[in-house]
Amino acid sequence: MDQAGRQVFTVDLLERYAAKGRGVITCMAAGNDVILLGTSKGWVIRHDFGLGDSTEIDLSTGRPGEQSIHRVFVDPGGSHCIATVVGSGGVDTFYTHAKWIKPRVLTKLKGLVVNAVAWNRLLITEASTKEVILGTDNGQLHEIAVDEKDKREKYIKFLFQLGELPEAFMDLQMETASIMNGTRYYVMAVTPTRLYSFTGIGSLETVFASYLDRAVHFMELPGEIPNSELHFYIKQRRAVHFAWLSGAGIYHGGLNFGAHHGSPNGDENFVENKALLDYSKLSEGAEAVKPSSMAVSEFHFLLLIGNKVKVVNRISENIIEELQFDLTSESVSRGIMGLCSDATAGLFYAYDQNSVYQVSVNDEGRDMWKVYLDLNEYAGALANCRDPLQRDQVYLVQAEAAFASKDYHRAASFFAKINYMLSFEEITLKFITIGEQDALRTFLLRKLDNLAKDDKCQITMISTWATELYLDKINRLLLEDDTAVVNHGSEYQSVIKEFCAFLGDCKDVLDEATTMRLLESYGRVEELVYFASLKEQYEIVVHHYIQQGEAKKALEVLQKPAVPIDLQYKFAPDLIMLDAYETVESWMATNNLNPRKLIPAMMRYSSEPHAKNETHEVIKYLEYCVHRLHNEDPGVHNLLLSLYAKQEDDSALLRFLQFKFGKGRENGPEFFYDPKYALRLCLKEKRMRACVHIYSMMSMHEEAVALALQVDPELAMAEADKVEDDEDLRKKLWLMVAKHVIEQEKGAKRENIRKAIAFLKETDGLLKIEDILPFFPDFALIDDFKEAICSSLEDYNKQIELLKQEMNDATHGADNIRNDISALAQRYAVIEREEECGACRRKILTMGREYQMARGYTSIGPMAPFYVFPCGHAFHAQCLIAHVTRCTNEAQAEYILDLQKQLTLIGGEARKDSNGSLTEESITSVTPVDKLRSQLDDAIASECPFCGDLMIREISLNFILPEEALQVASWEIKPSSLGSQRTLSLPL
């Protein structure tokens, strides 16, 4: 331990005359910046440094003789105080609270000397002590609880009595742990020779009652000590280790509360890492002197030996410091009487008869890493390191130790953690010098784990070096064992797996080109492919699989979403030649492929010979594109057509040509292939039926029929029948068929003629015998056609008779029409005297003054002009004109009014010429009047207005006409603008 630096523990005089004249100090306790002093005159003096005040409590009042405070105790919070007074009047134990003025005597403990108190640190509060255990001079344990508001104890219970060796309990400590089924208590108690352990679940009473049936767990050490002390070191309100000032030495260890090892009451021995510090280590060769008091810090023991406090490191057991006290002359005789600790404030105190001294701690753990390191306790050393340089020193010691013991892999792991003590080059040279390539690789890998992500350059260099070391190791293993490749459990296989995992971890930091060159130079093709796939260099991966003949694996790579679609087209020719079935299945499973770009691959496959019964994979894929994907690419259709044309069976070709692929698509063509290319191809492959279909489709019917005649006359007839809209062309096509049929017949003349006549019947009258006569040879005899000619003449006679009959029917029809016209001119209707006008409801035959003369009409007798319709409705001429004008459209109304005006003008001139009198000659001689009147009759009286279209059209007219909109709007009821009007409710 470095003694040159600052001292860890320092002593300061806290108060010189702390007893304040109330006798001399006999005992002391501290907690939460509060110290309690017991004096020889029965006073308890309380100093509260937090509040800055002090209180004096006299416990000797009413007691005869001299009284002295035997022990004083305070809880960790500084609120609760227990003190025992010993004197001629007997022994009494008092409880007082920081807020109380008068202490309370615990009558049930009268006569019992309390040596120790164990507080329940986790549950105690300022207002309540909860469970407290008291240890007495006669080997008894009692439980007490006090609530400050009650002004007295809640209860005092007897818990336990030492039976086997009835000694005084000198010190007590208690810890609790909350578990699922309650609270577990851990209690440690010391006597001058033994350390007892108690534990159990439930209440304290239950825990100690269980020891009536079972033995108490204890540790016994030889020798005695006047003041046996037990201390817990408290860290974050939990006890973490203990120390017992025993006769044989300082027995100490760690505490593991909550440990369960199967016994129903838990493990009484909850102590770990037990050790004994012999007093001989404190005297440096002289006779061992036992300390008179002790205090415990995190890493040290403070031991009061004589008038000095020796600070001993708990781990190394070395004395690191000796604390000197400035004693007064009157205190020299007794010297320092004891030590006590304030766990809450982290302070220690020492006291003599008059004075109190404070022992402060200054970063006692700063050199603990070195202490642990000197003891080769590396985990403890690392746990106490404060900076990277200290950690480097620990790692260096570990690394050097492992290197010296030839555990190079372990050494490499520790060297990799060093950042400052040794350079990267120094460490690597250590392994290179001794030829430890595997350890060097381990060092590099661990170094990669410890480097920060920002060190990109160093990470890349180390990763590349590690890659080369892996490859070198793989090669060496191959040279050592030829069977390593096939032996799955070999070191070679494990290194390969490790290397692949390394490539996966470092794929983002390794330089792609450099790594691939390394892998290629060592001949590691599989690892090259694996790394290429990691780096998404899918072209290399697919190329490798194709070279290995593994088409399925190559296709699996190509189907990954991240693979560019262009690679599908690039490798399609090789893949389809390698495995056509799998390739086509993959194509059909890929949604975004463009079949046009696969045509070179399909052409290459199609150019190879195939067995007759073998499924043509390209045709399968093209049919999938055309039928399922509804592909419209002419190139795809042309290729499929060419493949169909090369098949021996032309049924598929004909089905393809007849199928209308664009059917049902708006403004789409019926087919997508090039008909001219299809025609050339079919002619080349001699697919004549297909050629006939293409000719017909291109409306080249003559060529279609001519070609069909070479294949099948029946096909030619079918083609000829397809022409329906052009009778002349159809007849011409049938003549071609007829000529071919006649010229091809090889039988006897009469037989040929009979067949020709039968063919005429098939044409359904389109061809006559005279049409086919030119096709027979000139030397054919007319007698051979006698029957056919006679039959033809008979047909003509029938047609002539039919025409005559139609002419007679037409003549009779004309006569009937003329008779109807004459009868129409003589038609009349009878009007009853009471008949009313349909418009004005006045009688038709009565002439009022207003109807004396209608404009444009001649009044005959006393009646106004009128119209009578066959349906029975009658109207005055003027009323009918007004009604029709009102109900018809504007243009028609103007036309009617214009005719009426012209009639009026012509009629007025006629009357003027005859001096106002109308004669029969004047009426009949005015030809323009008749013409105008006829036009007016057609305009207004072509149909009855009540029974004709005029009435039907009126249904759709609005009730309110546009010109009446203003009149309707004037009747609209609008809300009043007077906002102040009130609604008055009138009583009913």
Side-chain angles (χ1 to χ4, degrees), residues 555-812:
L555 291 166
E556 286 175 359
V557 174
L558 289 173
Q559 283 182 326
K560 291 181 179 179
V563 178
I565 196 69
D566 290 340
L567 290 184
Q568 288 268 20
Y569 308 130
K570 181 173 182 177
F571 290 105
D574 294 327
L575 286 169
I576 199 168
M577 295 304 295
L578 190 59
D579 190 336
Y581 173 78
E582 290 292 345
T583 303
V584 168
E585 289 295 321
S586 173
W587 288 352
M588 290 192 293
T590 307
N591 295 326
N592 54 347
L593 275 180
N594 183 359
R596 186 181 186 87
K597 295 185 178 181
L598 297 172
I599 288 178
M602 292 188 282
M603 293 288 288
R604 180 180 176 186
Y605 172 80
S606 303
S607 64
E608 298 291 326
H610 300 282
K612 290 183 179 180
N613 58 351
E614 180 186 349
T615 302
H616 200 295
E617 297 297 333
V618 168
I619 292 179
K620 182 175 78 174
Y621 177 65
L622 291 173
E623 287 176 341
Y624 170 81
C625 294
V626 169
H627 295 293
R628 296 286 299 278
L629 302 181
H630 306 293
N631 187 281
E632 300 180 3
D633 192 332
V636 172
H637 286 255
N638 288 338
L639 178 58
L640 180 56
L641 188 144
S642 69
L643 295 177
Y644 280 145
K646 292 175 182 177
Q647 291 182 326
E648 293 183 6
D649 184 6
D650 63 353
S651 58
L653 174 62
L654 292 172
R655 282 197 304 273
F656 178 77
L657 291 172
Q658 291 166 4
F659 193 91
K660 296 181 179 180
F661 294 99
K663 186 178 180 182
R665 305 183 192 187
E666 188 175 355
N667 299 326
E670 292 188 351
F671 54 87
F672 300 104
Y673 54 85
D674 184 356
K676 295 179 181 178
Y677 167 75
L679 183 61
R680 287 197 304 271
L681 185 68
C682 293
L683 288 172
K684 178 183 175 183
E685 299 293 337
K686 295 184 171 51
R687 305 294 178 214
M688 296 307 173
R689 288 181 177 273
C691 293
V692 171
H693 179 84
I694 297 170
Y695 274 133
S696 175
M697 185 183 59
M698 297 171 67
S699 298
M700 300 173 68
H701 299 290
E702 293 185 42
E703 290 82 353
V705 171
L707 188 59
L709 289 173
Q710 299 177 20
V711 181
D712 183 4
E714 294 293 335
L715 179 60
M717 294 178 192
E719 288 298 325
D721 261 343
K722 287 183 180 178
V723 180
E724 296 178 354
D725 52 349
D726 190 343
E727 196 69 23
D728 293 337
L729 177 59
R730 186 164 179 260
K731 185 173 182 179
K732 183 179 180 180
L733 296 176
W734 274 105
L735 285 174
M736 290 173 63
V737 178
K739 180 178 179 181
H740 176 81
V741 170
I742 293 170
E743 290 177 351
Q744 292 298 315
E745 291 297 336
K746 303 297 182 182
K749 291 180 181 179
R750 289 186 177 277
E751 183 66 22
N752 294 345
I753 292 172
R754 188 182 64 77
K755 290 182 177 180
I757 300 304
F759 175 77
L760 287 178
K761 294 179 181 178
E762 291 184 17
T763 64
D764 197 19
L766 182 64
L767 297 184
K768 305 296 182 184
I769 187 65
E770 60 269 26
D771 296 324
I772 65 172
L773 282 176
F775 303 144
F776 289 93
D778 295 340
F779 51 81
L781 297 176
I782 194 67
D783 291 341
D784 296 331
F785 299 97
K786 180 179 175 181
E787 294 180 6
I789 292 172
C790 289
S791 176
S792 179
L793 291 174
E794 288 176 2
D795 288 340
Y796 282 133
N797 284 331
K798 289 179 182 178
Q799 291 179 13
I800 291 170
E801 291 298 327
L802 186 61
L803 287 172
K804 286 181 179 179
Q805 184 65 35
E806 290 177 355
M807 290 173 64
N808 290 333
D809 291 344
T811 302
H812 289 308

Side-chain angles (χ1 to χ4, degrees), residues 100-337:
W100 292 6
I101 300 173
K102 184 179 179 182
R104 181 81 181 182
V105 66
L106 305 175
T107 55
K108 286 189 178 182
L109 298 177
K110 186 172 182 62
L112 296 177
V113 179
V114 176
N115 287 336
V117 173
W119 307 96
N120 189 340
R121 278 184 298 273
L122 292 181
L123 299 180
I124 196 168
T125 63
E126 184 182 357
S128 174
T129 62
K130 300 300 181 183
E131 302 91 344
V132 180
I133 304 175
L134 307 180
T136 65
D137 202 34
N138 62 348
Q140 292 182 357
L141 295 178
H142 296 265
E143 178 186 356
I144 183 174
V146 182
D147 278 345
E148 182 267 333
K149 64 181 179 180
D150 295 338
K151 303 300 182 183
R152 57 168 292 136
E153 71 275 12
K154 292 181 69 173
Y155 60 82
I156 298 178
K157 299 176 183 177
F158 170 78
L159 292 178
F160 183 76
Q161 171 74 57
L162 285 175
E164 179 196 353
L165 182 63
E167 293 182 303
F169 280 114
M170 302 301 294
D171 216 340
L172 278 175
Q173 295 288 345
M174 174 170 56
E175 191 72 28
T176 58
S178 297
I179 57 176
M180 290 182 64
N181 52 346
T183 302
R184 179 178 286 277
Y185 289 90
Y186 300 90
V187 179
M188 291 181 78
V190 293
T191 66
T193 60
R194 289 183 177 181
L195 168 65
Y196 291 92
S197 299
F198 305 91
T199 184
I201 301 172
S203 65
L204 278 174
E205 195 172 15
T206 306
V207 171
F208 282 96
S210 67
Y211 285 97
L212 295 173
D213 303 326
R214 60 188 176 118
V216 181
H217 187 278
F218 65 88
M219 165 65 71
E220 186 170 8
L221 294 176
E224 288 194 10
I225 194 167
N227 187 22
S228 177
E229 295 182 15
L230 175 67
H231 296 274
F232 277 6
Y233 174 71
I234 309 301
K235 187 173 185 178
Q236 295 176 348
R237 299 187 66 194
R238 300 294 295 179
V240 292
H241 61 257
F242 77 98
W244 172 31
L245 185 66
S246 71
I250 299 173
Y251 180 69
H252 61 97
L255 295 172
N256 183 11
F257 299 117
H260 302 282
H261 300 286
S263 64
N265 293 304
D267 180 20
E268 278 91 350
N269 189 11
F270 39 82
V271 176
E272 298 176 338
N273 304 321
K274 298 180 284 288
L276 181 66
L277 174 61
D278 197 288
Y279 295 133
S280 61
K281 294 184 179 180
L282 308 177
S283 56
E284 299 177 358
E287 184 180 353
V289 179
K290 297 179 182 180
S292 58
S293 186
M294 178 179 71
V296 179
S297 69
E298 185 174 6
F299 298 109
H300 298 88
F301 300 132
L302 280 68
L303 304 175
L304 179 60
I305 301 175
N307 286 332
K308 296 180 181 179
V309 171
K310 292 188 177 183
V311 180
V312 181
N313 187 283
R314 178 168 56 85
I315 308 303
S316 66
E317 298 186 346
N318 293 328
I319 299 173
I320 65 161
E321 290 176 356
E322 285 192 3
L323 306 181
Q324 304 283 345
F325 296 92
D326 182 15
L327 298 175
T328 60
S329 57
E330 59 267 25
S331 299
V332 171
S333 58
R334 287 204 59 182
I336 300 297
M337 297 169 59

Side-chain angles (χ1 to χ4, degrees), residues 459-478:
I459 289 173
T460 300
M461 292 173 64
I462 294 174
S463 301
T464 307
W465 192 1
T467 302
E468 190 166 11
L469 290 174
Y470 265 119
L471 293 170
D472 179 66
K473 174 69 174 177
I474 292 168
N475 271 4
R476 283 191 284 112
L477 290 173
L478 276 176

